[in-house]
Amino acid sequence: MTLEAFISEAVSPWMKNEGPESDIVISSRVRLARNLVNIPFPIANDYEHLNDIVTNMESNYSGKKAGPFPDLELFRMADMQSNEKHVLVEKHLISPSLANESEAGAVLLNPDESLSVMVNEEDHFRIQCLLSGFQLDETFANANRMDDWLEEKLDFAFDEKRGYLTSCPTNVGTGLRSSVMMHLPALVMTNKLNQILPAINQLGLVVRGIYGEGSEALGNLFQISNQTTLGKSEEDIIADLKSVVTQLVQHERQARETLLQQSKMYLEDKVYRSYGILAFSRRIESKEAMQRLSDVRLGIDLEMVSGLDGKILNELMVLTQPGFLQQYAGKQLQAEERNERRAKIIRERLALEENKLDR
Amino acid sequence: MLCQECNEHPATLHFTKIVNGEKIEYHICETCAKEKGEHIPGSNSFSIHQLLSGLLDMEPSLKGVKQSSAETGKKAEEPLSCPHCGLTYAQFAEMGRFGCARCYEAFDSKLDSIFRRIHGGNDTHLGKIPKRGGQDLHVYREIEQLREQMKKQIEEEEFEKAAEVRDKIRSLQEQLERKGAE
Ligand SMILES: [Zn+2]
Ligand SMILES: [Zn+2]
């Protein structure tokens, strides 16, 4: 497969760098946790009963053009190669635990991958909607519509006092986890993020790095999400997150402005060194790649680098993850092989872009 | 900001953990983070459920209950468990997860304080109500309120008004029964 064809297949619309504030907000995500009444949660249930849920979903929804989401398709974890699952994880469409631990797990996807319904993860259903840029309201509206639509056929476990009942007590009530992925290089460089974090935590929101082990923030990418799911309406949870994200966007813009005024040459040098390394290196580790991609992305946003589309950085941040590298190679790769492949895919992708300019 | 562990390298990882219901902030460098790897939320070996189970374990232990009843010579109390899925409270505390929707009733006496600690002081849902099944809920909520109102009116000897409210409650109940029969 050519790189161009692979990318067009591999890239989900949420990576396409569109939508409001997309220079800073990469994507918006909403997840609703739901369970069936009278059927034990996956953790306390057996394969047979859980598989019945999947079978029921398949006959009711797979291949159907109903509701707001046409052409849904159901994939069973048991039928997928481990690499295919890995790719869905890196696209944020399923969780690692669904991919690795759920015997009777399945996922319902729509063609543009803006919707995924995980079946038999920690809860019977996890409705997830994902959009590019800062579009929390739209993302929530989509998830909410899917919830209404599922509810027409399914009896969800709901309690007057506790709301939607979930397997984990941290999700009870609304079952709503809303999150935003942000690129915050200037706040990291100026050390401002550390000052802002405590205030954000006090609002019942949590900030963590994405990609990489633990909470390491590779590529200056952060996920901001709500922790509280009980005792607040969905609208209030979304509104609180929106207000914090709006402020972070403003702070990041200010920090970028400050950097430009106070250390433009330093910044430009950093951006172009990283660009040079990405364009010419023969092996590169994931961590360095993410940092260099972040630098160049900032250079594009500050109009230091021209002729490069910001979206290819979004793409490359995902395409250079282990699962994608292996998918493109068509085989399992050792760490060192991945480093070489990673450098190659980045070089080729940048070259593709330069060829476009020549035409 | 310097790493709070070594005070040497800049802190690049920032996260909060809930320990005994209190949020604790961590600002550490990558080197120290790798050393403490297992303690970082999100890494495979340390899950939110383990965090939670620390929190749930703080509930008065079941051992204590048994002991005191043994001392007083009464029949030992059954350990708290869910009649539907069989999960015991001790298992719930260990896994940090409910086994089924009915566990919420079974462990209800302990849940208010747990939820308040996890959800910023909240224990009651204020969000979406399912459309189906949810309609009845609205009616139940109304009946509940009317009963309260009627009780007050009787206490205040406003019997005529109380009778009106009683009729209203009856018609709502009939409405529910008709739906149930359908
Ligand atoms: Zn340190
Ligand atoms: Zn149960």
Side-chain angles (χ1 to χ4, degrees), chain B residues 2 4 25 49 60 66 69-70 76-77 94 111 155 158 181:
Chain B
L2 280 178
Q4 68 187 36
E25 279 171 31
H49 303 109
K66 271 187 200 156
S69 55
E77 275 178 57
E94 197 191 315
L111 294 183
E155 277 166 16
E158 294 179 355

Side-chain angles (χ1 to χ4, degrees), chain A residues 115-281:
Chain A
L115 169 83
S116 73
V117 181
M118 284 191 277
V119 187
N120 293 330
E121 209 247 20
E122 185 178 277
D123 296 299
H124 292 140
F125 305 104
R126 290 273 175 102
I127 305 164
Q128 288 198 105
C129 288
L130 194 55
L131 288 174
S132 172
F134 192 16
Q135 304 193 65
L136 270 177
D137 286 329
E138 293 79 359
T139 314
F140 172 63
N142 283 347
N144 204 26
R145 254 179 272 151
M146 187 63 193
D147 180 42
D148 287 342
W149 187 49
L150 287 181
E151 197 213 299
E152 279 176 24
K153 287 189 177 147
L154 304 169
D155 286 316
F156 287 147
F158 181 87
D159 177 79
E160 184 171 358
K161 181 167 184 200
R162 310 297 189 190
Y164 290 95
L165 305 179
T166 56
S167 184
C168 183
T170 56
N171 296 320
V172 71
T174 56
L176 170 70
R177 189 85 61 215
S178 52
S179 62
V180 164
M181 197 202 294
M182 303 184 82
H183 183 227
L184 303 172
L187 284 178
V188 171
M189 267 185 245
T190 55
N191 242 334
K192 286 256 170 58
L193 195 60
N194 296 342
Q195 296 163 23
I196 303 172
L197 281 181
I200 296 179
N201 289 330
Q202 274 176 359
L203 290 168
L205 301 176
V206 66
V207 182
R208 59 181 194 88
I210 18 184
Y211 292 125
E213 295 298 306
S215 59
E216 200 170 352
L218 288 188
N220 299 312
L221 290 171
F222 294 88
Q223 176 178 287
I224 296 105
S225 57
N226 67 296
Q227 267 186 312
T228 303
T229 59
L230 181 67
K232 270 167 108 176
S233 70
E234 287 82 356
E235 289 73 17
D236 284 349
I237 292 172
I238 299 282
D240 286 354
L241 180 59
K242 268 174 71 182
S243 115
V244 166
V245 171
T246 305
Q247 289 178 55
L248 277 172
V249 167
Q250 284 166 1
H251 284 299
E252 171 68 20
R253 286 200 205 292
Q254 272 168 20
R256 289 180 183 190
E257 202 53 45
T258 311
L259 282 173
L260 269 184
Q261 279 166 11
Q262 293 175 359
S263 29
K264 183 163 185 210
M265 186 45 72
Y266 166 82
L267 199 63
E268 214 169 307
D269 182 65
K270 187 179 166 80
V271 166
Y272 272 95
R273 277 171 190 272
S274 289
Y275 194 2
I277 284 169
L278 291 177
F280 293 105
S281 71

Side-chain angles (χ1 to χ4, degrees), chain A residues 322 324-339 341:
Chain A
F324 271 106
L325 290 175
Q326 293 176 153
Q327 183 83 348
Y328 185 41
K331 58 176 183 185
Q332 295 288 316
L333 299 170
Q334 300 300 313
E336 191 43 44
E337 289 177 299
R338 289 204 297 267
N339 292 338
R341 297 260 179 176

Side-chain angles (χ1 to χ4, degrees), chain A residues 144 147 161 166-167 287, chain B residues 14 30 98 104 125 128 132:
Chain A
N144 204 26
D147 180 42
K161 181 167 184 200
T166 56
S167 184
K287 191 174 158 185
Chain B
H14 314 276
E30 275 162 36
F98 294 107
Y104 280 81
H125 180 57
K128 182 173 180 177
R132 226 160 26 100

